[in-house]
Amino acid sequence: MKKGLEIVNSNDFDALYLENSLPQFEKLDAFFEDAIQAVEDYSCNPSFWYIGDFRTGTVVKCGGEVKQCSSFSTEQFIGITPAELEQLIHPDDRKKMMTYIVFIASFLASKSEEERKKYKPSLVFRFKNDQNIYTWRTMHYPKMRYVDQKPQLLLCVIEEIHHYSRPSDCCMYILERSTGSTVMYFCNDETATLKEVITYPIPSKRELEVLSLLSRGKISKEIAVELGIAKNTVENHKQKMFEKFGVRKVTELISVSIKMGWVLPS
């Protein structure tokens, strides 16, 4: 992974959204339907989503709690431009956000369609709500469409996180899921190096099954019955995962599993 980030200006940022020569893509709803449904079904925080069209440089569709989570109504958000969206971001975070977004688009453009699925970027920043107050958010991209190595369409989700411990700074995370391991990279400065902050081995198929059932509140005895294995075998899987992921309790194990995307939050 490229480690360094180059600071960008507004023209560099706007240029991302001026690819009008890209071919048209008609089946917008069908392409994003599964991702939007997952967002609406599993989001744990007040949030909204939008689809950005790089060909026109505007938002073409949005949903969720747009009015509550932004200073715009749903109707106003349709057609919003990058420059207008930028004004909703805290002034101290704008430069970083532009740099991060350009970096992510460029980085993913260098990958094949299959490779892109291994990387999950997310940003932490301040965004203006319906009371014109800046609150802490996360932004992530559940699904993107690239054509000829250029971004064409983007599904973006912005979630409230101000009820958690207050973040210290606008920053970027990139989760990389490769064969045999999961790595989290972190950056909190637009000219800094991406730092590897956490690496986990990917759970085995059986461990994933146990994790899924643990996340649904099942105890070892119930998991054993559902999987058709001995209770002691379930306990052995749990102990091995405690050692593998450096945790001591089931709650910590579930927290890591949700953070890494191995199971969905209940």
Side-chain angles (χ1 to χ4, degrees):
M1 179 182 288
K2 178 183 176 183
K3 301 294 183 179
L5 277 70
E6 297 177 1
I7 193 167
V8 305
N9 55 39
S10 295
N11 290 336
D12 298 323
F13 181 69
D14 292 344
L16 273 177
Y17 302 88
L18 300 175
E19 301 290 353
N20 293 316
S21 61
L22 288 173
Q24 293 295 306
F25 180 60
E26 302 299 335
K27 299 179 181 178
L28 183 76
D29 291 342
F31 183 75
F32 288 112
E33 182 179 14
D34 59 338
I36 290 172
Q37 191 62 55
V39 167
E40 294 184 340
D41 285 347
Y42 298 110
S43 178
C44 298
N45 304 309
S47 64
F48 71 97
W49 57 265
Y50 68 85
I51 298 174
D53 190 334
F54 288 88
R55 302 162 301 182
T56 62
T58 60
V59 169
V60 293
K61 190 169 185 176
C62 64
E65 296 153 306
V66 179
K67 178 56 181 172
Q68 175 184 343
C69 297
S70 79
S71 57
F72 286 2
S73 66
T74 302
E75 293 74 19
Q76 291 172 323
F77 216 85
I78 300 296
I80 192 174
T81 65
E84 292 170 319
L85 189 59
E86 181 186 336
Q87 295 307 307
L88 298 177
I89 298 172
H90 193 285
D92 292 344
D93 298 343
R94 288 173 192 166
K95 180 63 72 174
K96 285 186 180 182
M97 288 294 287
M98 288 192 297
T99 297
Y100 295 157
I101 291 168
V102 170
F103 171 81
I104 290 168
S106 175
F107 174 75
L108 293 177
S110 68
K111 306 298 179 184
S112 68
E113 188 66 30
E114 281 304 308
E115 288 175 327
R116 286 186 201 112
K117 296 177 182 178
K118 298 178 183 178
Y119 297 96
K120 302 297 181 185
S122 60
L123 307 174
V124 178
F125 67 110
R126 287 164 289 184
F127 192 81
K128 192 179 292 185
N129 66 13
D130 62 331
Q131 300 177 41
N132 289 319
I133 297 172
Y134 292 106
T135 61
W136 284 99
R137 315 290 180 95
T138 59
M139 175 191 289
H140 58 100
Y141 311 114
K143 200 164 187 178
M144 296 180 175
R145 178 176 172 82
Y146 275 73
V147 176
D148 297 330
Q149 302 304 104
K150 295 178 181 179
Q152 184 184 27
L153 294 164
L154 159 78
L155 174 62
C156 177
V157 177
I158 297 180
E159 289 190 282
E160 292 269 12
I161 58 168
H162 63 277
H163 53 292
Y164 294 150
S165 297
R166 183 184 180 278
S168 60
D169 203 1
C170 173
C171 59
M172 172 177 66
Y173 292 93
I174 298 180
L175 180 67
E176 177 186 2
R177 293 195 183 98
S178 300
T179 303
S181 68
T182 300
V183 182
M184 182 75 82
Y185 295 94
F186 166 79
C187 179
N188 65 346
D189 189 277
E190 62 266 24
T191 58
T193 298
L194 280 170
K195 310 170 187 71
E196 184 176 319
V197 294
I198 193 165
T199 303
Y200 288 122
I202 294 177
S204 67
K205 181 179 179 181
R206 179 62 84 187
E207 287 172 341
L208 285 172
E209 292 173 339
V210 173
L211 283 171
S212 177
L213 293 170
L214 284 172
S215 71
R216 287 155 49 189
K218 302 281 187 179
I219 61 175
S220 295
K221 182 178 180 181
E222 294 171 322
I223 294 172
V225 171
E226 188 153 342
L227 296 181
I229 58 179
K231 178 184 175 183
N232 285 343
T233 302
V234 176
E235 291 295 333
N236 287 337
H237 282 306
K238 286 166 58 178
Q239 290 303 317
K240 287 181 180 178
M241 286 190 286
F242 287 163
E243 296 174 8
K244 184 184 289 188
F245 307 129
V247 299
R248 292 178 293 180
K249 298 185 291 187
V250 170
T251 52
E252 294 174 344
L253 184 60
I254 294 172
S255 178
V256 167
S257 301
I258 292 173
K259 183 176 182 180
M260 293 295 103
W262 297 326
V263 300
L264 292 171
S266 58

